[in-house]
Amino acid sequence: MSPPAKDDYEGRGRFAGGLLPRLLAYAWPQSLLLGISLVLFPLAAVAQLGQPYVLKLVLDGPIKEGDVDGILPYVLVFIGLVLGHGVLQFTQNVLMTLAGQRIMRTIRGDLFRRVLRLPPAFFDRTPTGKVLTRLTGDVENLNEFVSSGLVTVVADTVLLIGIVGSMLWLNWKLALISFVLVPPFLFVLSRMRGYMRQLFRALRNRSTALNTFLNENVVGMLVVQAFRREAKNDATHEELTVSLYDESMRALKFSSVLSAGVQLAETLTLALLLWAALGGLLTEAAVSAGLLVAFVDYVGRFYAPIENLSGRYTILQNALASAEKIFTLMDEPDELPDPATPAALAPLAQSLKLEDVTFRYQTGEVVLDHVTLDVPKGQTVALVGATGAGKSTVVKLLGRFYDPNDGQVTWDGTDLRAFEANALR
């Protein structure tokens, strides 16, 4: 398999410790919605955690004693907990999703405004498809996590803490047996974290390369057909598609292995729990039927959020890989920064001059070679020459879209670099 496609916006590790704080800065204006949601999370967890405990009470109480009439209050409490959990979960999902959409609206706006202010030289060296991928695909990946994945992560984390506390409170010996496989699983997950980040970064690079190629071909279809490149471009498209397929399959296999590992751990935990409760480690008198049913229920509820978190962890890694690229684009430096005290460009009073100006684009070809030009106010000058002679380049230099490599462009005797960037726009 070919190496990952090169991407100008790889985070190169410099965001490794700063991505989440930067995302939290966008979340701060929505602190009220997020705060209310955070208050609802433990309430929803309590409503869910109470259900297995009610089962324990009814099994060890009315059912054990044969009191059929005594079951009704427990049924009503159980139904109340289920309904309460549903209402609380619905409310917190709405609030978290609303906050997430507002956060993404701000990020989208900031990113697009940054693109609008990027210098023309940036677009000379950056394919349009790559920029569009940042504005669409990467933003959507981040949106998936912020608007929905974050809800699951927070809710499942709170639920896990509650389940651990409940199980330790009911029977600490059975609880420790139930948790015996958790440390190895977390250790393996932590060891795979770096690999997962690289995997999803490579996946984003492949997707970017394909989107860039498609954009260039669709926009330049007349050129493709004029030079009879259909077959060659089709072969290149096939190569890029296969590369993206290979990376996607690697990500899918990794996610599937992670999910299967969680299910295997749950099955083994239930086997250990039943073996310990039915005479392996604990005496049968120490474990009632209600306690055993409650623990089996708690174990199922314990591994369900772990499986959810493992799935969301892959979404998180994908989102962080996209966030690296989004923030790197936002941090793209201004190549033509304004001076400390930029001046407004006044109407021309005397003359416009190019003094021994030399300029070349990123390709390295010299477009203007020691050009000198003096245009007095009121005079009309025609620039005539073959394609590529530098006619439009002169206009771009006047607008301060680029700085000359050598020489000076002056406006009434003042260097144009003393004025605001893109002064003639």
Side-chain angles (χ1 to χ4, degrees):
M1 186 169 56
S2 57
K6 177 177 174 56
D7 193 327
D8 290 341
Y9 300 134
E10 289 186 29
R12 297 181 177 89
R14 66 190 181 94
F15 286 124
L19 276 175
L20 290 179
R22 194 159 181 179
L23 289 172
L24 289 176
Y26 278 97
W28 177 250
Q30 309 303 325
S31 56
L32 178 60
L33 287 176
L34 295 174
I36 297 174
S37 300
L38 291 176
V39 172
L40 295 179
F41 279 123
L43 297 178
V46 169
Q48 188 172 1
L49 293 172
Q51 297 169 26
Y53 186 67
V54 171
L55 288 178
K56 174 189 179 303
L57 294 179
V58 73
L59 286 171
D60 290 341
I63 292 181
K64 183 178 180 180
E65 298 171 358
D67 183 9
V68 178
D69 295 333
I71 299 177
L72 181 60
Y74 294 96
V75 172
L76 295 177
V77 171
F78 190 88
I79 293 175
L81 290 173
V82 172
L83 293 178
H85 174 256
V87 172
L88 291 170
Q89 190 172 43
F90 171 80
T91 304
Q92 70 188 22
N93 284 344
V94 170
L95 293 177
M96 287 291 289
T97 303
L98 178 60
Q101 287 300 316
R102 290 181 177 179
I103 292 169
M104 293 310 306
R105 180 181 63 185
T106 304
I107 292 177
R108 284 192 182 99
D110 288 351
L111 182 60
F112 186 68
R113 282 188 289 271
R114 182 68 191 116
V115 170
L116 290 177
R117 295 181 61 84
L118 287 172
F122 171 84
F123 296 98
D124 289 341
R125 65 175 183 269
T126 307
T128 304
K130 188 173 292 186
V131 180
L132 289 176
T133 300
R134 300 293 162 266
L135 293 169
T136 55
D138 286 319
V139 170
E140 186 57 35
N141 284 338
L142 191 57
N143 175 51
E144 182 181 3
F145 176 72
V146 172
S147 297
S148 59
L150 188 59
V151 177
T152 303
V153 169
V154 177
D156 288 342
T157 301
V158 174
L159 181 60
L160 277 174
I161 295 173
I163 290 175
V164 170
S166 299
M167 294 173 72
L168 289 172
W169 174 66
L170 285 175
N171 190 304
W172 65 271
K173 293 181 180 179
L174 282 181
L176 293 180
I177 294 171
S178 302
F179 303 149
V180 69
L181 295 178
V182 174
F185 178 81
L186 295 179
F187 174 77
V188 172
L189 190 63
S190 65
R191 299 290 294 179
M192 291 182 175
R193 182 175 56 185
Y195 172 78
M196 292 173 68
R197 177 73 64 86
Q198 294 177 2
L199 174 62
F200 285 102
R201 184 182 293 146
L203 181 61
R204 294 308 306 156
N205 290 346
R206 299 289 188 186
S207 177
T208 297
L210 179 59
N211 290 337
T212 300
F213 179 81
L214 290 174
N215 179 267
E216 291 175 342
N217 277 263
V218 172
V219 174
M221 187 56 66
L222 181 62
V223 177
V224 172
Q225 295 180 353
F227 286 90
R228 301 297 304 274
R229 289 184 54 89
E230 294 94 336
K232 186 172 183 178
N233 286 17
D234 181 54
T236 304
H237 175 265
E238 179 68 17
E239 180 182 351
L240 292 172
T241 303
V242 170
S243 298
L244 179 59
Y245 170 82
D246 290 340
E247 294 293 347
S248 300
M249 290 304 298
R250 287 176 60 195
L252 178 61
K253 290 175 182 177
F254 187 89
S255 300
S256 299
V257 169
L258 202 58
S259 177
V262 174
Q263 295 179 15
L264 177 61
E266 179 182 356
T267 302
L268 293 176
T269 299
L270 287 174
L272 284 173
L273 182 64
L274 293 174
W275 172 70
L278 299 178
L281 291 177
L282 303 176
T283 61
E284 186 174 354
V287 181
S288 64
L291 181 62
L292 181 58
V293 169
F295 259 82
V296 170
D297 196 341
Y298 276 128
V299 168
R301 295 173 188 265
F302 178 78
Y303 278 98
I306 286 184
E307 184 173 4
N308 290 337
L309 287 174
S310 65
R312 296 300 172 182
Y313 191 71
T314 59
I315 294 177
L316 171 62
Q317 293 301 321
N318 197 13
L320 290 180
S322 294
E324 282 183 344
K325 302 175 186 301
I326 289 173
F327 289 135
T328 303
L329 179 57
M330 284 188 180
D331 293 343
E332 185 71 23
D334 289 322
E335 299 179 19
L336 296 172
D338 285 330
T341 56
L345 190 65
L348 186 66
Q350 300 174 6
S351 65
L352 171 68
K353 295 182 180 180
L354 276 70
E355 303 175 14
D356 199 28
V357 170
T358 299
F359 180 78
R360 70 181 67 203
Y361 289 102
Q362 291 284 335
T363 55
E365 180 182 358
V366 176
V367 181
L368 300 178
D369 188 9
H370 300 287
V371 173
T372 298
L373 180 65
D374 189 350
V375 184
K377 178 183 178 182
Q379 181 175 332
T380 301
V381 176
L383 300 178
V384 181
T387 301
K391 303 182 296 298
S392 60
T393 300
V394 172
V395 177
K396 293 175 182 177
L397 291 176
L398 295 179
R400 253 204 80 189
F401 294 123
Y402 302 88
D403 271 346
N405 303 130
D406 295 298
Q408 193 175 48
V409 182
T410 60
W411 181 278
D412 285 339
T414 303
D415 193 330
L416 268 179
R417 284 171 291 192
F419 299 104
E420 296 178 357
N422 303 328
L424 295 182
R425 179 176 284 182

